[in-house]
Amino acid sequence: MTDPALRPGGYVLGLSVRLLLAVSVVVANFGGAAIVFALSAWVVPQGQVADVTAVRLLNTALVIGYLLLATPVGILLGRRIFRLRGRAARRDPGRRARRIVLYGPLRLVVMLAVLWGGAVVLFGLVNLRFSWRLALSVAETITVGGIATVALSYLLSERILRGPASVILAGQPPRSRALPGVLLRPVLFWALGTAVPVIGLLLGGVSALVFQDVTVDRLAVMILAIGTAALFAGILTTIGAARAAADPVIAVRRAMQRVEQGDLEVSVPVYDHTELGRLQAGFNTMVEGLRERERIRDLFGRHVGEDVARAAAAADGSELGGEVRRVAVLFVDLVGSTAMAAERPPAEVVDVLNRFFAIVVESVERHGGWINKFEGDAALAVFGAPTPVRDPAGCALAAARELADQLAARMPETAAGIGVSAGDAVAGNVGDPRRYEYTVIGDPVNEAARLTDLAKSRGGVVASGAALDLAAEAEAQCWVRGEPVVLRGRNAPTEIATPRAELNLRHVPGMIEQP
């Protein structure tokens, strides 16, 4: 992992990652050197050499010496590759660390190519004193083996650096176009698994045709040795190519399944700087947008109600105006709130109102209603809009009885008036195209407010006779009709009803079934 406290002179990679990277690259290059040495000493044509044993001993000593020299040099140069140095590291260590991690495999390849190129020159010149044919064969073999080893080192280092890359790229999608894209990987895999072995076979065939010094047995050995190496390299490169392309896609696919199940906290690590990395980063950006959309939707639902929010989201567009709906309205108002606000601290008043409204919301939602608005110490609930219910009047009456029972049990120190009415009203968006709200307008709303005033003076719950007429029989039997009363601001008398005094609310079914 990368060091979060990046400082000039420090390492971008943690110690464990540096050790794993060093061991992998050293082992890969030692293996490549061993295969090249074996091919050069016993497989490829050597021309006319007087003392083959002496040549092999000299090349063996030269291989050991070169490895003893090149290994520490490569490790030191590799340490410098992943170290923060220079003015850029002091000005912006984060950006410098990002470039080091993303460009690290390429810089490592350049370093290894230089070391293998030095081996080509050194071994070519040393063997030239014995035979130019031997020098050519050795140089060709080292070149081909070096290409394969360097390509393998690049693929290994890139995979090892996925962890640090995911930290570096977290929250910042890869954008550089100078880095190798996803198309370079198949080329590297092709070079490692196909091109290099085939080039070796072609060089052997050309040598056999041009120099006429390769026996049938030697040619067969060359084909068997290089063919075996090709099969082994082919299976490794095929697996590597499949994993390199499949791992990011599989990670995105699994994350998408979690999103489909409703988990929006998922994210995928962006450990790839190619087009696949951009795919991973794009998925994370998409999920972040979904989280923000869900947060806004939740906030919108808390302000206007979940039913209204759901209807607004499902509609193609919102227009002013509405439609006539058969609704029931429940209005509840706290008694003595003005005196309470004058006598108690504001924080205490807010606490009382919050507890009061919590009980109101629970009772209304349990019976399929929707809180249209809070008005100071009062609340207006609507049944039948925007979501239709089978018996809006019955639901409102049942909610009113339960609400009175709950307030008496849980807030006995307060009193509230509850009024219920039902009838036809206009439900829709009211306001201006720049700012509007969903509400219900009509006589049932006004009547419910006046009934609440009456209930506050009498104490308890008062419903209109129209609400009982529209309610189901099971709920209407829970109420007692009284004498008509002329409500404040109205001309015609209104038949009123109150809950039966002997009724135990807990034994009466609460919510009326929705369609």
Short mmCIF file of all heavy atoms in Angstrom, two decimals, residues 65-130:
data_model
loop_
_atom_site.label_atom_id
_atom_site.label_comp_id
_atom_site.label_asym_id
_atom_site.label_seq_id
_atom_site.Cartn_x
_atom_site.Cartn_y
_atom_site.Cartn_z
N GLY A 65 28.98 -13.89 -13.02
CA GLY A 65 29.49 -12.56 -12.70
C GLY A 65 28.54 -11.45 -13.10
O GLY A 65 28.34 -10.49 -12.35
N TYR A 66 27.94 -11.60 -14.29
CA TYR A 66 27.03 -10.56 -14.74
C TYR A 66 25.77 -10.50 -13.86
O TYR A 66 25.28 -9.41 -13.54
CB TYR A 66 26.61 -10.81 -16.20
CG TYR A 66 25.88 -9.64 -16.82
CD1 TYR A 66 26.57 -8.53 -17.28
CD2 TYR A 66 24.49 -9.64 -16.92
CE1 TYR A 66 25.90 -7.45 -17.84
CE2 TYR A 66 23.81 -8.56 -17.46
CZ TYR A 66 24.52 -7.48 -17.93
OH TYR A 66 23.85 -6.41 -18.47
N LEU A 67 25.27 -11.66 -13.44
CA LEU A 67 24.11 -11.67 -12.55
C LEU A 67 24.44 -11.06 -11.19
O LEU A 67 23.63 -10.33 -10.62
CB LEU A 67 23.59 -13.09 -12.38
CG LEU A 67 22.89 -13.73 -13.59
CD1 LEU A 67 22.51 -15.17 -13.29
CD2 LEU A 67 21.65 -12.93 -13.98
N LEU A 68 25.62 -11.39 -10.67
CA LEU A 68 26.03 -10.81 -9.39
C LEU A 68 26.17 -9.30 -9.47
O LEU A 68 25.95 -8.59 -8.48
CB LEU A 68 27.34 -11.44 -8.93
CG LEU A 68 27.27 -12.92 -8.52
CD1 LEU A 68 28.65 -13.45 -8.16
CD2 LEU A 68 26.30 -13.12 -7.36
N LEU A 69 26.53 -8.80 -10.65
CA LEU A 69 26.66 -7.35 -10.81
C LEU A 69 25.33 -6.69 -11.16
O LEU A 69 24.98 -5.64 -10.62
CB LEU A 69 27.68 -7.06 -11.91
CG LEU A 69 27.87 -5.58 -12.29
CD1 LEU A 69 28.43 -4.80 -11.10
CD2 LEU A 69 28.78 -5.44 -13.50
N ALA A 70 24.58 -7.32 -12.07
CA ALA A 70 23.36 -6.69 -12.55
C ALA A 70 22.24 -6.72 -11.52
O ALA A 70 21.40 -5.81 -11.48
CB ALA A 70 22.89 -7.39 -13.82
N THR A 71 22.21 -7.76 -10.65
CA THR A 71 21.12 -7.87 -9.67
C THR A 71 21.12 -6.71 -8.68
O THR A 71 20.09 -6.04 -8.52
CB THR A 71 21.19 -9.21 -8.94
OG1 THR A 71 21.07 -10.28 -9.89
CG2 THR A 71 20.08 -9.32 -7.91
N PRO A 72 22.23 -6.42 -8.00
CA PRO A 72 22.19 -5.26 -7.08
C PRO A 72 22.00 -3.94 -7.81
O PRO A 72 21.34 -3.04 -7.28
CB PRO A 72 23.55 -5.32 -6.37
CG PRO A 72 24.42 -6.15 -7.25
CD PRO A 72 23.52 -7.13 -7.92
N VAL A 73 22.57 -3.83 -9.01
CA VAL A 73 22.37 -2.60 -9.77
C VAL A 73 20.89 -2.41 -10.11
O VAL A 73 20.32 -1.32 -9.98
CB VAL A 73 23.23 -2.61 -11.06
CG1 VAL A 73 22.84 -1.45 -11.97
CG2 VAL A 73 24.70 -2.53 -10.70
N GLY A 74 20.25 -3.51 -10.55
CA GLY A 74 18.82 -3.43 -10.87
C GLY A 74 17.98 -3.10 -9.65
O GLY A 74 17.02 -2.32 -9.72
N ILE A 75 18.33 -3.69 -8.48
CA ILE A 75 17.57 -3.41 -7.26
C ILE A 75 17.72 -1.95 -6.86
O ILE A 75 16.74 -1.28 -6.47
CB ILE A 75 18.02 -4.35 -6.13
CG1 ILE A 75 17.61 -5.81 -6.46
CG2 ILE A 75 17.42 -3.93 -4.80
CD1 ILE A 75 18.09 -6.81 -5.46
N LEU A 76 18.94 -1.42 -6.95
CA LEU A 76 19.16 -0.02 -6.59
C LEU A 76 18.40 0.91 -7.54
O LEU A 76 17.78 1.89 -7.10
CB LEU A 76 20.66 0.30 -6.62
CG LEU A 76 21.50 -0.35 -5.51
CD1 LEU A 76 22.97 -0.05 -5.71
CD2 LEU A 76 21.04 0.16 -4.15
N LEU A 77 18.47 0.62 -8.83
CA LEU A 77 17.74 1.44 -9.78
C LEU A 77 16.23 1.32 -9.56
O LEU A 77 15.49 2.31 -9.70
CB LEU A 77 18.10 1.04 -11.21
CG LEU A 77 19.54 1.34 -11.65
CD1 LEU A 77 19.78 0.81 -13.06
CD2 LEU A 77 19.81 2.84 -11.59
N GLY A 78 15.77 0.12 -9.23
CA GLY A 78 14.36 -0.06 -8.96
C GLY A 78 13.90 0.72 -7.74
O GLY A 78 12.79 1.26 -7.71
N ARG A 79 14.76 0.79 -6.72
CA ARG A 79 14.42 1.59 -5.53
C ARG A 79 14.26 3.06 -5.90
O ARG A 79 13.40 3.75 -5.38
CB ARG A 79 15.50 1.42 -4.47
CG ARG A 79 15.46 0.06 -3.76
CD ARG A 79 16.79 -0.22 -3.08
NE ARG A 79 17.11 0.81 -2.10
CZ ARG A 79 16.80 0.75 -0.81
NH1 ARG A 79 16.15 -0.31 -0.35
NH2 ARG A 79 17.15 1.71 0.02
N ARG A 80 15.11 3.51 -6.80
CA ARG A 80 15.01 4.91 -7.22
C ARG A 80 13.74 5.18 -8.02
O ARG A 80 13.18 6.29 -7.97
CB ARG A 80 16.23 5.29 -8.06
CG ARG A 80 17.53 5.37 -7.26
CD ARG A 80 18.71 5.66 -8.17
NE ARG A 80 18.55 6.92 -8.88
CZ ARG A 80 18.86 8.13 -8.40
NH1 ARG A 80 19.37 8.22 -7.17
NH2 ARG A 80 18.70 9.21 -9.12
N ILE A 81 13.27 4.17 -8.74
CA ILE A 81 12.05 4.36 -9.53
C ILE A 81 10.86 4.68 -8.65
O ILE A 81 10.02 5.52 -8.99
CB ILE A 81 11.79 3.10 -10.38
CG1 ILE A 81 12.83 2.96 -11.48
CG2 ILE A 81 10.38 3.14 -10.98
CD1 ILE A 81 12.69 1.69 -12.29
N PHE A 82 10.77 4.03 -7.48
CA PHE A 82 9.61 4.18 -6.62
C PHE A 82 9.90 5.07 -5.41
O PHE A 82 9.31 4.89 -4.35
CB PHE A 82 9.13 2.81 -6.15
CG PHE A 82 8.69 1.93 -7.28
CD1 PHE A 82 9.51 0.92 -7.76
CD2 PHE A 82 7.45 2.12 -7.88
CE1 PHE A 82 9.11 0.11 -8.80
CE2 PHE A 82 7.05 1.32 -8.92
CZ PHE A 82 7.87 0.32 -9.39
N ARG A 83 10.76 6.03 -5.60
CA ARG A 83 11.11 6.95 -4.53
C ARG A 83 10.76 8.37 -4.94
O ARG A 83 10.96 8.76 -6.09
CB ARG A 83 12.60 6.84 -4.21
CG ARG A 83 13.00 7.43 -2.87
CD ARG A 83 14.39 7.00 -2.50
NE ARG A 83 14.75 7.41 -1.16
CZ ARG A 83 15.87 7.06 -0.55
NH1 ARG A 83 16.74 6.28 -1.19
NH2 ARG A 83 16.13 7.47 0.66
N LEU A 84 10.22 9.14 -3.99
CA LEU A 84 9.88 10.53 -4.26
C LEU A 84 11.14 11.38 -4.25
O LEU A 84 11.81 11.50 -3.23
CB LEU A 84 8.89 11.05 -3.20
CG LEU A 84 7.46 10.53 -3.30
CD1 LEU A 84 6.67 10.95 -2.08
CD2 LEU A 84 6.79 11.05 -4.55
N ARG A 85 11.43 11.97 -5.39
CA ARG A 85 12.64 12.79 -5.50
C ARG A 85 12.32 14.01 -6.36
O ARG A 85 11.41 14.01 -7.17
CB ARG A 85 13.79 12.00 -6.15
CG ARG A 85 14.27 10.82 -5.34
CD ARG A 85 15.33 10.02 -6.07
NE ARG A 85 14.77 9.34 -7.25
CZ ARG A 85 14.99 9.69 -8.50
NH1 ARG A 85 15.76 10.74 -8.76
NH2 ARG A 85 14.46 9.02 -9.50
N GLY A 86 13.12 15.05 -6.19
CA GLY A 86 13.04 16.22 -7.06
C GLY A 86 12.06 17.27 -6.57
O GLY A 86 11.38 17.14 -5.57
N ARG A 87 12.01 18.35 -7.35
CA ARG A 87 11.16 19.48 -6.98
C ARG A 87 9.68 19.12 -7.07
O ARG A 87 8.86 19.61 -6.30
CB ARG A 87 11.46 20.66 -7.91
CG ARG A 87 12.89 21.22 -7.77
CD ARG A 87 13.09 22.38 -8.71
NE ARG A 87 14.44 22.93 -8.58
CZ ARG A 87 14.90 23.94 -9.32
NH1 ARG A 87 14.11 24.49 -10.24
NH2 ARG A 87 16.12 24.37 -9.14
N ALA A 88 9.33 18.29 -8.06
CA ALA A 88 7.92 17.90 -8.20
C ALA A 88 7.40 17.20 -6.95
O ALA A 88 6.25 17.38 -6.56
CB ALA A 88 7.74 17.00 -9.43
N ALA A 89 8.27 16.39 -6.33
CA ALA A 89 7.86 15.68 -5.11
C ALA A 89 7.64 16.66 -3.96
O ALA A 89 6.76 16.46 -3.12
CB ALA A 89 8.91 14.65 -4.73
N ARG A 90 8.42 17.73 -3.91
CA ARG A 90 8.24 18.71 -2.85
C ARG A 90 7.02 19.59 -3.08
O ARG A 90 6.33 19.97 -2.14
CB ARG A 90 9.50 19.57 -2.72
CG ARG A 90 10.71 18.82 -2.15
CD ARG A 90 11.84 19.76 -1.84
NE ARG A 90 12.44 20.32 -3.05
CZ ARG A 90 13.45 19.76 -3.72
NH1 ARG A 90 13.95 18.61 -3.28
NH2 ARG A 90 13.94 20.31 -4.80
N ARG A 91 6.76 19.92 -4.36
CA ARG A 91 5.60 20.78 -4.66
C ARG A 91 4.29 20.03 -4.51
O ARG A 91 3.35 20.51 -3.89
CB ARG A 91 5.73 21.34 -6.08
CG ARG A 91 6.82 22.38 -6.25
CD ARG A 91 6.61 23.14 -7.54
NE ARG A 91 6.51 22.23 -8.68
CZ ARG A 91 7.52 21.87 -9.45
NH1 ARG A 91 8.74 22.35 -9.19
NH2 ARG A 91 7.36 21.05 -10.48
N ASP A 92 4.20 18.85 -5.09
CA ASP A 92 2.94 18.09 -5.10
C ASP A 92 3.27 16.61 -4.97
O ASP A 92 3.31 15.88 -5.96
CB ASP A 92 2.18 18.37 -6.40
CG ASP A 92 0.76 17.83 -6.34
OD1 ASP A 92 0.43 17.13 -5.37
OD2 ASP A 92 -0.02 18.11 -7.28
N PRO A 93 3.51 16.14 -3.74
CA PRO A 93 3.89 14.73 -3.56
C PRO A 93 2.81 13.76 -4.01
O PRO A 93 3.10 12.66 -4.49
CB PRO A 93 4.17 14.61 -2.06
CG PRO A 93 3.43 15.75 -1.44
CD PRO A 93 3.46 16.86 -2.46
N GLY A 94 1.53 14.14 -3.87
CA GLY A 94 0.46 13.23 -4.29
C GLY A 94 0.48 12.98 -5.79
O GLY A 94 0.35 11.85 -6.24
N ARG A 95 0.63 14.03 -6.56
CA ARG A 95 0.67 13.89 -8.02
C ARG A 95 1.91 13.11 -8.44
O ARG A 95 1.86 12.28 -9.34
CB ARG A 95 0.66 15.26 -8.66
CG ARG A 95 0.67 15.23 -10.18
CD ARG A 95 0.64 16.62 -10.75
NE ARG A 95 0.67 16.59 -12.21
CZ ARG A 95 0.71 17.68 -12.97
NH1 ARG A 95 0.72 18.88 -12.39
NH2 ARG A 95 0.74 17.57 -14.28
N ARG A 96 3.04 13.40 -7.79
CA ARG A 96 4.27 12.68 -8.12
C ARG A 96 4.14 11.20 -7.79
O ARG A 96 4.58 10.33 -8.57
CB ARG A 96 5.43 13.29 -7.33
CG ARG A 96 6.78 12.62 -7.56
CD ARG A 96 7.21 12.70 -8.99
NE ARG A 96 8.51 12.06 -9.19
CZ ARG A 96 9.05 11.83 -10.37
NH1 ARG A 96 8.40 12.18 -11.47
NH2 ARG A 96 10.22 11.25 -10.47
N ALA A 97 3.52 10.88 -6.66
CA ALA A 97 3.32 9.47 -6.30
C ALA A 97 2.40 8.78 -7.30
O ALA A 97 2.62 7.61 -7.65
CB ALA A 97 2.73 9.39 -4.89
N ARG A 98 1.40 9.48 -7.77
CA ARG A 98 0.49 8.90 -8.77
C ARG A 98 1.25 8.54 -10.04
O ARG A 98 1.08 7.45 -10.59
CB ARG A 98 -0.62 9.92 -9.06
CG ARG A 98 -1.56 9.54 -10.20
CD ARG A 98 -2.49 10.72 -10.46
NE ARG A 98 -3.28 10.51 -11.67
CZ ARG A 98 -4.47 9.96 -11.68
NH1 ARG A 98 -5.01 9.56 -10.56
NH2 ARG A 98 -5.13 9.81 -12.82
N ARG A 99 2.10 9.44 -10.50
CA ARG A 99 2.87 9.17 -11.73
C ARG A 99 3.85 8.03 -11.51
O ARG A 99 4.08 7.20 -12.40
CB ARG A 99 3.61 10.43 -12.16
CG ARG A 99 2.71 11.54 -12.66
CD ARG A 99 3.52 12.77 -13.06
NE ARG A 99 4.46 12.46 -14.12
CZ ARG A 99 4.18 12.47 -15.42
NH1 ARG A 99 2.94 12.77 -15.81
NH2 ARG A 99 5.09 12.19 -16.31
N ILE A 100 4.45 7.96 -10.32
CA ILE A 100 5.42 6.90 -10.05
C ILE A 100 4.75 5.54 -10.10
O ILE A 100 5.27 4.59 -10.71
CB ILE A 100 6.08 7.14 -8.68
CG1 ILE A 100 7.06 8.31 -8.77
CG2 ILE A 100 6.81 5.88 -8.21
CD1 ILE A 100 7.69 8.67 -7.44
N VAL A 101 3.57 5.41 -9.49
CA VAL A 101 2.89 4.12 -9.46
C VAL A 101 2.41 3.73 -10.86
O VAL A 101 2.56 2.58 -11.29
CB VAL A 101 1.72 4.15 -8.46
CG1 VAL A 101 0.89 2.88 -8.56
CG2 VAL A 101 2.26 4.30 -7.04
N LEU A 102 1.81 4.68 -11.58
CA LEU A 102 1.24 4.36 -12.88
C LEU A 102 2.32 4.10 -13.92
O LEU A 102 2.16 3.24 -14.79
CB LEU A 102 0.32 5.50 -13.34
CG LEU A 102 -0.92 5.75 -12.47
CD1 LEU A 102 -1.77 6.84 -13.09
CD2 LEU A 102 -1.73 4.47 -12.31
N TYR A 103 3.41 4.86 -13.86
CA TYR A 103 4.48 4.68 -14.84
C TYR A 103 5.56 3.72 -14.36
O TYR A 103 6.52 3.46 -15.09
CB TYR A 103 5.14 6.03 -15.16
CG TYR A 103 4.32 6.93 -16.03
CD1 TYR A 103 3.40 7.81 -15.49
CD2 TYR A 103 4.46 6.90 -17.41
CE1 TYR A 103 2.64 8.64 -16.29
CE2 TYR A 103 3.70 7.73 -18.23
CZ TYR A 103 2.80 8.61 -17.65
OH TYR A 103 2.05 9.42 -18.46
N GLY A 104 5.40 3.19 -13.13
CA GLY A 104 6.43 2.30 -12.58
C GLY A 104 6.74 1.10 -13.45
O GLY A 104 7.92 0.82 -13.72
N PRO A 105 5.74 0.33 -13.92
CA PRO A 105 6.06 -0.82 -14.77
C PRO A 105 6.82 -0.45 -16.04
O PRO A 105 7.74 -1.17 -16.44
CB PRO A 105 4.67 -1.39 -15.10
CG PRO A 105 3.81 -0.98 -13.96
CD PRO A 105 4.30 0.37 -13.57
N LEU A 106 6.48 0.66 -16.66
CA LEU A 106 7.20 1.08 -17.88
C LEU A 106 8.65 1.42 -17.56
O LEU A 106 9.57 1.03 -18.31
CB LEU A 106 6.50 2.28 -18.50
CG LEU A 106 5.27 2.01 -19.36
CD1 LEU A 106 4.70 3.31 -19.88
CD2 LEU A 106 5.61 1.08 -20.52
N ARG A 107 8.87 2.15 -16.49
CA ARG A 107 10.24 2.51 -16.13
C ARG A 107 11.04 1.27 -15.73
O ARG A 107 12.24 1.18 -16.01
CB ARG A 107 10.21 3.52 -14.99
CG ARG A 107 9.64 4.87 -15.43
CD ARG A 107 9.41 5.80 -14.27
NE ARG A 107 8.94 7.10 -14.72
CZ ARG A 107 8.43 8.03 -13.93
NH1 ARG A 107 8.35 7.79 -12.63
NH2 ARG A 107 8.03 9.18 -14.41
N LEU A 108 10.37 0.35 -15.10
CA LEU A 108 11.05 -0.91 -14.75
C LEU A 108 11.44 -1.67 -16.00
O LEU A 108 12.53 -2.27 -16.08
CB LEU A 108 10.12 -1.74 -13.88
CG LEU A 108 10.72 -2.93 -13.14
CD1 LEU A 108 11.76 -2.45 -12.14
CD2 LEU A 108 9.63 -3.72 -12.42
N VAL A 109 10.59 -1.68 -17.01
CA VAL A 109 10.88 -2.35 -18.27
C VAL A 109 12.08 -1.71 -18.96
O VAL A 109 12.95 -2.41 -19.51
CB VAL A 109 9.64 -2.32 -19.18
CG1 VAL A 109 10.01 -2.61 -20.63
CG2 VAL A 109 8.62 -3.35 -18.70
N VAL A 110 12.13 -0.38 -18.95
CA VAL A 110 13.26 0.32 -19.58
C VAL A 110 14.56 -0.07 -18.89
O VAL A 110 15.59 -0.34 -19.54
CB VAL A 110 13.03 1.84 -19.52
CG1 VAL A 110 14.28 2.58 -20.00
CG2 VAL A 110 11.84 2.22 -20.39
N MET A 111 14.54 -0.11 -17.57
CA MET A 111 15.75 -0.48 -16.83
C MET A 111 16.18 -1.91 -17.17
O MET A 111 17.37 -2.18 -17.43
CB MET A 111 15.50 -0.35 -15.34
CG MET A 111 16.68 -0.74 -14.46
SD MET A 111 16.19 -1.08 -12.76
CE MET A 111 15.31 -2.61 -12.96
N LEU A 112 15.24 -2.84 -17.19
CA LEU A 112 15.57 -4.23 -17.50
C LEU A 112 16.04 -4.37 -18.94
O LEU A 112 16.95 -5.18 -19.24
CB LEU A 112 14.35 -5.12 -17.25
CG LEU A 112 13.90 -5.26 -15.80
CD1 LEU A 112 12.61 -6.06 -15.71
CD2 LEU A 112 14.99 -5.92 -14.96
N ALA A 113 15.44 -3.61 -19.84
CA ALA A 113 15.88 -3.67 -21.24
C ALA A 113 17.32 -3.22 -21.38
O ALA A 113 18.10 -3.78 -22.18
CB ALA A 113 14.96 -2.82 -22.11
N VAL A 114 17.70 -2.20 -20.61
CA VAL A 114 19.09 -1.74 -20.65
C VAL A 114 20.03 -2.83 -20.14
O VAL A 114 21.10 -3.09 -20.73
CB VAL A 114 19.23 -0.45 -19.83
CG1 VAL A 114 20.71 -0.08 -19.67
CG2 VAL A 114 18.48 0.69 -20.50
N LEU A 115 19.65 -3.49 -19.05
CA LEU A 115 20.51 -4.55 -18.51
C LEU A 115 20.61 -5.73 -19.47
O LEU A 115 21.71 -6.30 -19.66
CB LEU A 115 19.96 -5.02 -17.16
CG LEU A 115 20.00 -3.98 -16.02
CD1 LEU A 115 19.37 -4.53 -14.76
CD2 LEU A 115 21.44 -3.55 -15.74
N TRP A 116 19.51 -6.12 -20.09
CA TRP A 116 19.57 -7.21 -21.06
C TRP A 116 20.34 -6.79 -22.32
O TRP A 116 21.05 -7.60 -22.93
CB TRP A 116 18.16 -7.67 -21.43
CG TRP A 116 17.58 -8.64 -20.43
CD1 TRP A 116 16.83 -8.33 -19.36
CD2 TRP A 116 17.74 -10.06 -20.42
NE1 TRP A 116 16.48 -9.48 -18.66
CE2 TRP A 116 17.02 -10.56 -19.30
CE3 TRP A 116 18.39 -10.96 -21.26
CZ2 TRP A 116 16.95 -11.91 -18.99
CZ3 TRP A 116 18.32 -12.32 -20.95
CH2 TRP A 116 17.62 -12.78 -19.83
N GLY A 117 20.17 -5.52 -22.71
CA GLY A 117 20.95 -5.04 -23.86
C GLY A 117 22.45 -5.07 -23.57
O GLY A 117 23.26 -5.40 -24.45
N GLY A 118 22.81 -4.72 -22.33
CA GLY A 118 24.22 -4.82 -21.96
C GLY A 118 24.73 -6.25 -22.03
O GLY A 118 25.87 -6.50 -22.44
N ALA A 119 23.87 -7.21 -21.65
CA ALA A 119 24.26 -8.62 -21.75
C ALA A 119 24.45 -9.03 -23.20
O ALA A 119 25.38 -9.81 -23.52
CB ALA A 119 23.21 -9.49 -21.08
N VAL A 120 23.62 -8.55 -24.10
CA VAL A 120 23.77 -8.89 -25.52
C VAL A 120 25.12 -8.42 -26.04
O VAL A 120 25.87 -9.16 -26.71
CB VAL A 120 22.62 -8.25 -26.34
CG1 VAL A 120 22.89 -8.43 -27.84
CG2 VAL A 120 21.30 -8.89 -25.98
N VAL A 121 25.46 -7.19 -25.72
CA VAL A 121 26.75 -6.63 -26.19
C VAL A 121 27.92 -7.37 -25.56
O VAL A 121 28.89 -7.77 -26.24
CB VAL A 121 26.81 -5.13 -25.87
CG1 VAL A 121 28.18 -4.57 -26.24
CG2 VAL A 121 25.72 -4.38 -26.62
N LEU A 122 27.85 -7.58 -24.23
CA LEU A 122 28.97 -8.21 -23.53
C LEU A 122 29.22 -9.64 -24.02
O LEU A 122 30.35 -10.01 -24.38
CB LEU A 122 28.68 -8.21 -22.02
CG LEU A 122 29.72 -8.92 -21.14
CD1 LEU A 122 31.08 -8.25 -21.26
CD2 LEU A 122 29.26 -8.96 -19.68
N PHE A 123 28.17 -10.46 -24.06
CA PHE A 123 28.36 -11.85 -24.45
C PHE A 123 28.67 -11.98 -25.93
O PHE A 123 29.40 -12.89 -26.34
CB PHE A 123 27.10 -12.66 -24.09
CG PHE A 123 27.02 -13.01 -22.63
CD1 PHE A 123 26.50 -12.11 -21.71
CD2 PHE A 123 27.46 -14.23 -22.17
CE1 PHE A 123 26.42 -12.43 -20.38
CE2 PHE A 123 27.38 -14.56 -20.83
CZ PHE A 123 26.86 -13.65 -19.92
N GLY A 124 28.15 -11.04 -26.73
CA GLY A 124 28.49 -11.08 -28.16
C GLY A 124 29.96 -10.81 -28.39
O GLY A 124 30.64 -11.51 -29.17
N LEU A 125 30.49 -9.80 -27.70
CA LEU A 125 31.91 -9.46 -27.87
C LEU A 125 32.82 -10.55 -27.31
O LEU A 125 33.87 -10.88 -27.91
CB LEU A 125 32.19 -8.13 -27.18
CG LEU A 125 31.53 -6.89 -27.81
CD1 LEU A 125 31.84 -5.65 -26.99
CD2 LEU A 125 32.01 -6.72 -29.26
N VAL A 126 32.46 -11.10 -26.15
CA VAL A 126 33.32 -12.14 -25.55
C VAL A 126 33.38 -13.37 -26.44
O VAL A 126 34.46 -13.97 -26.64
CB VAL A 126 32.82 -12.49 -24.14
CG1 VAL A 126 33.52 -13.74 -23.62
CG2 VAL A 126 33.03 -11.32 -23.19
N ASN A 127 32.26 -13.80 -27.00
CA ASN A 127 32.24 -15.01 -27.81
C ASN A 127 32.72 -14.78 -29.24
O ASN A 127 32.94 -15.74 -29.98
CB ASN A 127 30.82 -15.59 -27.85
CG ASN A 127 30.44 -16.25 -26.53
OD1 ASN A 127 30.80 -17.40 -26.25
ND2 ASN A 127 29.71 -15.50 -25.69
N LEU A 128 32.89 -13.52 -29.61
CA LEU A 128 33.38 -13.23 -30.95
C LEU A 128 34.82 -13.71 -31.14
O LEU A 128 35.22 -14.08 -32.26
CB LEU A 128 33.28 -11.72 -31.21
CG LEU A 128 33.65 -11.25 -32.61
CD1 LEU A 128 32.73 -11.90 -33.65
CD2 LEU A 128 33.57 -9.74 -32.71
N ARG A 129 35.60 -13.77 -30.08
CA ARG A 129 36.98 -14.24 -30.16
C ARG A 129 37.06 -15.72 -30.47
O ARG A 129 38.07 -16.19 -30.98
CB ARG A 129 37.71 -13.96 -28.84
CG ARG A 129 37.03 -14.56 -27.63
CD ARG A 129 37.80 -14.28 -26.36
NE ARG A 129 39.11 -14.93 -26.38
CZ ARG A 129 39.80 -15.28 -25.31
NH1 ARG A 129 39.31 -15.02 -24.12
NH2 ARG A 129 40.97 -15.86 -25.41
N PHE A 130 35.98 -16.46 -30.17
CA PHE A 130 35.98 -17.89 -30.47
C PHE A 130 35.43 -18.16 -31.87
O PHE A 130 36.00 -18.94 -32.63
CB PHE A 130 35.15 -18.66 -29.44
CG PHE A 130 35.67 -18.53 -28.04
CD1 PHE A 130 35.01 -17.73 -27.11
CD2 PHE A 130 36.82 -19.21 -27.64
CE1 PHE A 130 35.48 -17.60 -25.82
CE2 PHE A 130 37.30 -19.08 -26.34
CZ PHE A 130 36.63 -18.28 -25.43
#
